[in-house]
Structure formats: structure tokens, C-alpha cells
Amino acid sequence: MIRFMLGRLALAIPTLFIVTLAVFAMVRAIPGDPASAMLGDLATPEMVARLKASMGIDKPLPVQYVIWLGDVVSGDFGRSIGNDEPVGPLIWERFKVSASIVLLAVALASMVAVPAGMIAAWRQGTATDLGLIGVATLLLSIPSFWLGLMILLVFGLGLGWFPILGSQALSGSWREWAAAIAMPVLTLFLVEMGSIVRMSRAATIDVLRQEYITHARAKGLSESAVMWRHAFRNAFAPTWTLIGLILGALLGGIAVVETVFTIPGLGRLLVEGIYTRDYPVVQGCILMIAFVYVVVNLIVDMAYPFFDPKVAR
Amino acid sequence: MSLLSLENLHIQVGHDGAEVVQDLSFTLEPGRMMALVGESGSGKTMAARSILGLLPPPMRLAKGAIRFDGVDLAGLGPKALTKYRGARIGMVFQEPMTSLNPAMPIGRQMEEGLRLHLGLSRVECRKRILKMLERIRIADPEHCLAAYPHEFSGGMRQRIMLASVMLLKPQLLIADEPTTALDTLVQHDVMNLMTELAAENGTAVLLISHDLGMVSHYIEDVVVLQHGIPVERGRTTEVLTQPSHAYTQRLVDALPRRSAGGLRNAEPKPALVELQGITVDYPGHALLFGRRVAKRAVDGVDLVVGQGETLGLVGASGSGKTTIGRAIVGLEPISGGTMRFKGQPLVPDDPDTRRDLQIIFQDPYSSLDPRQRVEAIVGEPLKLDTGLTRKDRRERVREVCDEVGLPAGFLTRFPHQLSGGQRQRVAIARAIVRRPAFVVADEPVSALDMTVQKQILELIRQLQMRHGFGCLFVSHDLGAVEQVADRVAVIETGKIVETGTRDDIFDRPQAEYTRRLLNAAMLLGRSYNAAVS
């Protein structure tokens, strides 16, 4: 078990290393150079050269990479071109906002959708199953921005339960904070539930066909014991992978939802960074997104042996 | 009073679908052993499952009574049935690989029944389970409790399953093909254990099986089912020695037996395939940054297959017999030794050699591309012959399909539209379409029903006589090997322990392992009278 975990951990290091290379290369491959872009059209060659020297980009590329990597490893992501803030803390602030919404929404969605999928599988072919599958498919087909707008319209404008501008409320007390993220959480919860229900149902149907389920019934176990004790752990493994993928994708930023609810999250930071050519911010965001993705998948992999003891070998 | 009596049982698919079991009645006395015998689709498994109310939907019990100890189980609700399940009626399943929960330690699975039905404490459960595991001769019972199913072999799992069911000392044990997935030696072991445990606890046994040989060795009474209809019943000895119904006769006839007369290929043939000291290693698990630890699957094997000859290669699963076959056709790289084909060094990657070396796989359900039609499957190897036009290929495919007994109408079918036997015919057609000089038949009949097995074995034999290819017949089934092989090689854990003519091996086995295999083989008509009395 410990060897399995160490193995996965070791495998994550080269992945992250490759990502830093890719991010570095990508930014360097953009035509022009950041210094002239920052200084604008009126810059003299001397000014550009000075800025280049101060940014360290007059050095050969490999040297630049090593310096940058060194900075990144020690937590220094540089400063934003737009407002001269250090990028590291900026990203971290924004990430916390996005992450709290995503984690809450995915956790809630899993808690509702996994049992719902299992019930649908258990009652396969009945009205219950059809109803659950119908709702899941409907939720899958609704675009998140539309659903977000509708929720904003109903709960924000119509009923007035939650603040419409999320960004203001986020700085207040935890109560205000909860109110601010309630609508984005609800949106993501509904959007992500569909796929989880479907996956959970499909996996459970597969498991229920196995002989050990019949064996469990032949022991005289009640249906709830059969489902919970025998079916759940086996059926959850594929769903768990899906949840991991969803988390990885969403934690990298939920730009659409953040935009609809005006939430200052990581996704919007990246989009704004791209618009304003704020290379340090873009670089930092991409690195953060990749890092989060790797870490989430690592956690998912590490939890795997719990559902499938064969993996731990 | 009889322990179990089925009265006019009808099982139906849905509410107006076909009946999979029709009018089945029998009685089983306490402590006796009875078998429901039939081929796949005979409804024997469904009949057994209906007793515990475990019919998979849309199957349902349409009519009839299931009296167990005076109570009609068919009339009980699911709640009331759970009092019987496990506690008074135990059930053992066919597939040891899937019948234990892979995500739960063995100990937890074994204690479930005890805690549920007897309400025992964890400590008491543990004591009883350990005692039982010792009884069934599990090497390290303490370790077994915390271990997961994948750490055990199929035979061990089946014993653990038996133990877990017998812990509750049920009055009736339903065993659904409990040894079908196991090797000959292990089969013998598990059946012995089952009969011992049943005798110790006074448990009656209802065995579901297609294996008449095994049934004849262990079981007193038998009911023969064909397409859901009971066609014959009675004492096993009588039914199997003097079958009165035509279907039972066919079943008994289908049992493999030695072809009458002497050896077909008595005189030695020129060598076609020669293996000298071949070794195959499998890479082990890669440790983190460590070396891979190799597992030696085949260890210095010498074999010769003559032209037009069939060499039977017999061994348990994991003995390396399949690996040898795959190595010859180039599906497995060898790590040592030499292979020669027609006197030349064998280069399996060479296209001309490939044409001459073909293989028929074990499982016709997974060896055919489900998205190709029969014509495409059989014709694909011909695409390598650039000289052939599309029309020539068609012609050739038609011819070969005719040879293997597939009517022209089958050419446009997909594999899922064929039965197991028909699929295996397609696989054979695909193997012989380019007129190979050598064919590896890897357990070609073990996934098939008895009567179909017989047909396929005869087909291979006929094709071989007509085309004269050499054949390596890989099998764990001694009966099938005895029927088709000219010579036999016995393999144990990667090493050949004995080679000889068929009659030498079967009548005068020299190696200890061969003798054990032969003793464990439950062939009808041999040592049969002694075993039943």
C-alpha cells in the first residue's frame, strides 16, 4: 500500500516537470517579447533592453528556464504586469474562492448522485429507474451558463435570497460568504450530477450481474446489506474516477459560472490575464491548474485501493 | 418426509415469454445427493436458483410449488425467504473468480452468515471460521481472514466458498457447476471436500452439472433436463449405463472416448515442428525503479510434432501449456531455446511462416471480432495473398465454411448471432483458410457443451485427415485429448514430465504426476463402478 502510494507520488514529479517546460515554452513561443509588450509602442530600445535585463529575459533560454523554475519552486511566480501584485498570493486567493465552490458542489453532487444511480440500477427498468435517468439526462443537456442565469433570475432577482454580485459578499462574514457561493454551487451541483448518476448506475448494473451479489443474496442478507456492503464499494470505483476527472477539470477554474455570478475565481483571473496579456498571471494560472489536476488525480489514485484491493498489489 | 420437493415447476421469461423450465418435479431426501444434468440452456441453473427465489429478472416462477421441509418456498415473500437463504439452504456458484466479493476480506465475507443467522459475536465467529479453514486445509488460516479473494487460486476460492456456506450447517446445499471452471486435479479435490462436508453435517446436495463423468462418480440420483423439460430421472448408475431417452443417450455418447482400433498414426512421421529447450519468461511486477522480476512460464521444453500428427499437450492451468502454443505461432516471445519448422529455424514473424502456423483459441465468444461478419472474419487472412481477386477470396471462404459445416447463409451473420459451437466452427475456418501446415488448438472445446464438443472434435479430426496439418492440441481435459491425440505430452509447472503415444500415456503412465491426473479424471466407464457403489 505504502509502496503503491510512493510509486504514484514519484510518477507525479515528472508530469509536473513536463508541465513547467510546456508552460515556459508556450509563453516564450508567443511572437514578440513581454518587455516590448509591457512598455508599449513608445518604448525606446534602451528601455526595452533595461526591462529585459531586469526581467532576466536577456539571458539564454535554458538559463531563463532554470532561474524561473527555481523561482517557481521557491514559491515566487513573479509580479502581475497589470497591477504589480505578486502573482502567487493572487492566484492562491482566487483559487480558494473557486475551490470552495467546486469542492462543495462536487461533494454534494456525489452524495446525491451516487446513491441515486445505485437506486436506479437496483430498480433497473422500472419507473424509478426511468425517472432518475430522465432527470440525469436532462441535467446533462443543460448548458451551465443558461442554468446559472436562470438560477440568478429566480433566486437572486426574483426571490432575492442571495446577493447577485458575489464578489462583494465574499469579503464579509461566513454567512455572507455562504450566501455568495450558494447559487454557483447549486448550478455546478445540478450540472455535474447528471454524469455522476449515469456512471454510478452503469457501474452498479455491471456489479449487480456478478455472482458475488447473488451469493450475498443467497446468504440471506437483506437488500440494503447487499447493496451497501457488497455492491457499493465495487460499483464506486469507476464513479470515483469520474469524480476525480470532474474535480480536476473544475478546480482549474469555472470561468463560465464565475462570470455569470461575478465571482472572482481562478477561471476569471486566467481569462482576464489572457485579455490583458498579463504573462506572469497566465503562466502562474496554467501552472496552478496543471498542478491541481495532477494532485487531484494523485489523490484519486491513492484512494483507489480502498475500492479495489487488486490495485494495491 | 422428503427434505425438498419440486412440484410441477414452471419458469417463464416475463409474463408471456418462453418457458425455460417446464413441469419439473423431483424430491430429495435428507442427506442424499442428487444432480440436475443438462447442457447450457437446459434450465438447470434457473431451476436451482428458483428454489431460493434468486431468479434474475425477467425470469419468474410461473407455476408450481417448492416444498422445503413442509413449507412452500414459492409462496414466501422476500423477507421470509431470507430466513432460509444461507441458514437452511446454502448455495455454491460456478465461477470462483466472481463469486466472492473482490473488495471485501475473506474473513468478513465468511462471518456475514454466522452473524446474521446465528447472531454470534465477532470472537465466536472468528473461532468457528478458523476451525473451518483448518478443516478445509487452508495453509495459513489467520492470514486468510484478512486476505482478499484475488490472492487465492480458483480452487482455493471454491474451497473457501464451500467452507463459508457449510459453516452454517445447512440442510440443503445447492451447488451450481461448482467445479466447471477448475482443473482436473482441483476438481477432484473440491468434489471430495464437498461430499465430505455434506456427509459430516448431514446436508443434502443438489448438484447442477453438465459433466456426466463427474456426476457418475459422486451422485446417487439424477434428473436429465433438455430445453427445460425433464426427460429422464432415476439412479445415476442406471440412467447412465442404460439411458432410455434419446437425449440421454446422445449425452452419454458424446462423452469423449478413445477412437476404436489401434493408433491412427502408428508409424513415426517426419518432424514438422521441433522445439528444443524453449523457455518463456513473463515480466513480473515492476517495483518502483527496481528490476522486473521474471516469472518462468515455460522452462526448457522439448517437443516434436510430426507432419499430420496430433500431439496432445496436457496440464493444469498455469502449467505453461497455452504459452507453448502461443510461442510457436509467434504470439509470445521465447527467451531461450530453438524452434524449428520443416527443418528450418522458425521465424514466427516471417509472413510465409505465419501462413503456415495458425491457432484456434479457447473462447469463441471473445476470439471473433463482434463487428465483423463471418465472411470478413474467415476471409481476412486471405487478404495477405495478393494474387487472389475479391472473387477468388469469396469462393475460397465459401468452400472453407462448407468444409467446417457452416451453411452459406451464415456468411453474412455476426458472431453474436451464432451459437458457441458455430462460432468455434468459424474460428476453425479462419485457421485453415490458408491451408496451414500446422495448427495450434488451444482448449478448442472447453467452452462448449458436451454434444457440441464431440462434433467439434470430430470436425478437427476430419479436417486433419483431409488436409494433413500437424496439430498441437492443448487441453486440460484428458477425455478430449484421449479422443484426438496420437501422442501426448504432459506438462507440469513449465516442464514436460512425460511424453509418449496416447496408449502409453493413458494405459501405462510412468510419471507420478500423470498418474495423479489420470486418477483424478472422472471419465465415465473407468473406475466408475467402484466409485458409485
Side-chain angles (χ1 to χ4, degrees):
Chain A
M1 185 65 195
I2 286 168
R3 179 185 289 161
F4 171 81
M5 286 190 168
L6 286 176
R8 301 310 309 226
L9 209 61
L11 281 176
I13 293 169
T15 312
L16 282 174
F17 179 72
I18 292 167
V19 167
T20 61
L21 258 180
V23 169
F24 181 81
M26 205 166 60
V27 173
R28 292 305 180 274
I30 296 170
D33 63 85
S36 352
M38 277 165 76
L39 294 170
D41 295 340
L42 297 173
T44 61
E46 292 80 47
M47 287 165 72
V48 173
R50 221 169 333 139
L51 184 61
K52 271 189 173 177
S54 74
M55 288 169 79
I57 53 174
D58 55 342
K59 299 186 175 71
L61 283 179
V63 177
Q64 285 185 37
Y65 174 69
V66 171
I67 292 171
W68 177 69
L69 191 66
D71 285 349
V72 166
V73 168
S74 59
D76 179 7
F77 288 82
R79 284 179 171 276
S80 160
I81 295 171
N83 54 15
D84 204 35
E85 270 182 70
V87 170
L90 181 66
I91 288 178
W92 180 242
E93 269 315 303
R94 299 297 195 96
F95 174 71
K96 278 196 296 192
V97 176
S98 296
S100 58
I101 294 173
V102 168
L103 287 175
L104 204 58
V106 173
L108 287 174
S110 308
M111 279 191 272
V112 176
V114 171
M118 287 181 68
I119 289 170
W122 182 53
R123 288 262 162 262
Q124 195 192 350
T126 63
T128 316
D129 181 25
L130 286 176
L132 283 166
I133 275 301
V135 171
T137 312
L138 185 73
L139 289 175
L140 260 178
S141 352
I142 300 177
S144 55
F145 71 88
W146 185 83
L147 189 65
L149 284 175
M150 287 305 119
I151 286 171
L152 194 64
L153 211 62
V154 174
F155 296 103
L157 287 172
L159 298 169
W161 289 357
F162 306 114
I164 298 161
L165 285 178
S167 50
Q168 291 167 351
L170 272 171
S171 45
S173 70
W174 77 267
R175 223 176 246 284
E176 280 172 295
W177 175 81
I181 67 166
M183 286 191 295
V185 165
L186 179 64
T187 309
L188 276 185
F189 164 77
L190 290 173
V191 167
E192 299 307 331
M193 208 162 66
S195 54
I196 302 178
V197 167
R198 297 203 63 129
M199 178 60 98
S200 165
R201 175 180 179 269
T204 310
I205 285 175
D206 272 353
V207 167
L208 290 183
R209 285 201 197 111
Q210 301 293 321
E211 271 190 351
Y212 57 80
I213 296 298
T214 318
H215 181 206
R217 289 194 173 120
K219 280 181 186 171
L221 297 179
S222 67
E223 280 299 294
S224 63
V226 170
M227 291 303 290
W228 178 243
R229 219 180 295 161
H230 288 278
F232 171 68
R233 258 172 59 163
N234 289 293
F236 190 58
T239 317
W240 178 238
T241 310
L242 177 72
I243 293 173
L245 288 172
I246 290 176
L247 269 182
L250 293 184
L251 281 176
I254 34 173
V256 173
V257 173
E258 286 166 12
T259 307
V260 170
F261 295 104
T262 50
I263 298 278
L266 191 62
R268 267 181 65 206
L269 182 66
L270 175 62
V271 172
E272 285 159 8
I274 292 169
Y275 280 143
T276 57
R277 302 287 185 277
D278 198 339
Y279 295 134
V281 168
V282 174
Q283 226 166 293
C285 281
I286 292 175
L287 206 55
M288 180 71 182
I289 289 167
F291 178 71
V292 165
Y293 211 93
V294 169
V295 169
V296 167
N297 276 293
L298 195 65
I299 294 170
V300 167
D301 282 354
M302 283 183 172
Y304 228 99
F306 176 72
F307 306 110
D308 185 358
K310 264 183 272 186
V311 178
R313 270 193 296 187
Chain B
M1 189 174 58
S2 55
L3 179 69
L4 174 75
S5 87
L6 264 56
E7 292 160 19
N8 311 99
L9 200 71
H10 290 255
I11 296 172
Q12 209 172 24
V13 186
H15 278 272
D16 36 35
E19 290 208 319
V20 293
V21 171
Q22 286 178 38
D23 208 23
L24 175 64
S25 306
F26 64 79
T27 56
L28 177 57
E29 303 300 322
R32 298 273 293 183
M33 295 180 96
M34 178 181 244
L36 275 183
V37 171
E39 294 186 291
S40 52
S42 64
K44 55 188 193 302
T45 292
M46 291 308 142
R49 290 200 168 193
S50 71
I51 296 171
L52 281 175
L54 290 173
L55 286 173
M59 303 272 179
R60 62 180 200 98
L61 194 64
K63 259 199 306 218
I66 299 165
R67 279 186 213 294
F68 178 80
D69 214 7
V71 179
D72 183 9
L73 298 183
L76 292 182
K79 262 263 159 59
L81 259 182
T82 56
K83 297 267 176 288
Y84 287 86
R85 290 178 184 169
R88 304 185 63 188
I89 307 177
M91 187 155 179
V92 176
F93 295 85
Q94 173 173 1
E95 266 302 326
M97 294 299 155
T98 59
S99 51
L100 290 170
N101 186 340
M104 200 189 259
I106 301 282
R108 294 257 324 271
Q109 301 196 43
M110 289 185 77
E111 76 175 21
E112 268 186 325
L114 287 175
R115 288 175 68 84
L116 180 76
H117 294 295
L118 305 181
L120 297 179
S121 68
R122 277 249 148 85
V123 181
E124 179 62 25
C125 282
R126 197 184 151 83
K127 236 195 303 185
R128 291 203 190 185
I129 293 171
L130 284 175
K131 208 171 134 206
M132 185 51 124
L133 288 175
E134 267 163 39
R135 165 71 189 82
I136 63 165
R137 300 183 294 276
I138 293 284
D140 185 356
E142 292 276 348
H143 167 79
C144 177
L145 288 184
Y148 286 94
H150 70 262
E151 297 169 45
F152 295 91
S153 68
M156 291 284 252
R157 290 190 212 189
Q158 208 61 325
R159 285 159 66 160
I160 289 169
M161 170 91 124
L162 253 177
S164 113
V165 170
M166 292 307 290
L167 266 176
L168 285 140
K169 303 190 182 2
Q171 290 159 282
L172 172 64
L173 174 68
I174 301 172
D176 185 2
E177 304 258 17
T179 61
T180 305
L182 306 176
D183 279 325
T184 314
L185 282 175
V186 185
Q187 245 178 29
H188 194 61
D189 233 38
V190 170
M191 281 308 288
N192 285 346
L193 183 66
M194 190 176 96
T195 26
E196 281 167 32
L197 288 176
E200 282 165 26
N201 297 295
T203 303
V205 175
L206 179 64
L207 177 77
I208 313 301
S209 181
H210 71 281
D211 186 346
L212 291 179
M214 191 185 79
V215 167
S216 74
H217 278 252
Y218 290 96
I219 307 293
E220 298 149 328
D221 302 296
V222 63
V223 177
V224 181
L225 280 174
Q226 182 193 18
H227 306 312
I229 304 166
V231 294
E232 191 163 354
R233 78 194 63 211
R235 300 299 297 266
T236 310
T237 22
E238 283 154 27
V239 171
L240 295 187
T241 45
Q242 295 132 9
S244 61
H245 192 274
Y247 178 67
T248 320
Q249 275 163 19
R250 277 225 314 281
L251 278 183
V252 174
D253 270 353
L255 286 171
R257 46 175 59 93
R258 213 178 290 193
S259 38
L263 281 173
R264 186 184 48 149
N265 286 325
E267 70 285 359
K269 300 275 175 173
L272 180 66
V273 171
E274 295 162 273
L275 307 182
Q276 260 174 8
I278 68 156
T279 301
V280 179
D281 291 330
Y282 282 130
H285 283 288
L287 301 176
L288 180 59
F289 302 127
R291 275 173 302 126
R292 283 171 165 249
V293 187
K295 177 181 181 286
R296 184 145 290 189
V298 176
D299 191 3
V301 161
D302 303 324
L303 278 182
V304 178
V305 185
Q307 275 167 22
E309 173 190 70
T310 299
L311 175 70
L313 183 57
V314 182
S317 57
S319 62
K321 57 186 194 304
T322 292
T323 311
I324 293 175
R326 293 172 64 92
I328 295 174
V329 295
L331 292 175
E332 211 72 72
I334 58 171
S335 26
T338 53
M339 301 196 286
R340 294 175 81 78
F341 179 61
K342 292 180 174 168
Q344 303 297 316
L346 173 59
V347 188
D349 288 341
D350 178 56
D352 285 336
T353 315
R354 283 234 171 207
R355 165 207 195 107
D356 261 349
L357 300 171
Q358 291 297 325
I359 184 165
I360 303 164
F361 295 97
Q362 169 172 9
D363 182 4
Y365 292 87
S366 60
S367 66
L368 304 177
D369 183 343
R371 281 175 184 77
Q372 280 191 336
R373 294 176 196 275
V374 170
E375 179 161 13
I377 294 172
V378 177
E380 194 167 32
L382 292 174
K383 291 195 175 155
L384 298 170
D385 293 326
T386 41
L388 290 178
T389 64
R390 184 180 285 261
K391 197 163 150 260
D392 293 340
R393 283 211 299 267
R394 273 231 139 119
E395 201 69 7
R396 194 73 197 85
V397 168
R398 213 162 282 255
E399 229 172 82
V400 172
C401 284
D402 188 52
E403 262 188 294
V404 299
L406 288 171
F410 280 65
L411 288 175
T412 53
R413 292 205 190 176
F414 287 104
H416 72 264
Q417 295 168 310
L418 306 175
S419 70
Q422 287 163 347
R423 285 183 216 214
Q424 206 56 311
R425 283 174 197 268
V426 174
I428 292 172
R430 175 176 61 182
I432 65 162
V433 71
R434 293 180 80 197
R435 298 260 179 273
F438 182 74
V439 173
V440 174
D442 184 8
E443 304 257 15
V445 295
S446 52
L448 306 175
D449 272 328
M450 281 288 178
T451 50
V452 184
Q453 275 191 16
K454 188 189 179 193
Q455 293 162 6
I456 297 294
L457 289 178
E458 272 168 10
L459 175 67
I460 294 176
R461 192 88 180 163
Q462 275 168 20
L463 291 170
Q464 195 181 16
M465 289 219 254
R466 193 173 315 153
H467 301 300
F469 52 79
C471 179
L472 180 71
F473 189 90
V474 177
S475 183
H476 72 278
D477 180 354
L478 288 165
V481 169
E482 187 175 18
Q483 188 173 338
V484 300
D486 303 308
R487 290 189 309 119
V488 176
V490 182
I491 183 169
E492 184 190 11
T493 53
K495 291 196 167 95
I496 301 286
V497 295
E498 189 169 5
T499 316
T501 65
R502 181 195 63 190
D503 292 2
D504 279 345
I505 296 287
F506 279 88
D507 299 337
R508 297 169 288 279
Q510 301 299 313
E512 163 66 21
Y513 183 71
T514 315
R515 282 197 213 123
R516 267 174 52 214
L517 269 184
L518 283 171
N519 276 336
M522 289 168 274
L523 303 174
L524 186 63
R526 233 149 315 146
S527 69
Y528 148 67
N529 288 322
V532 168
S533 67

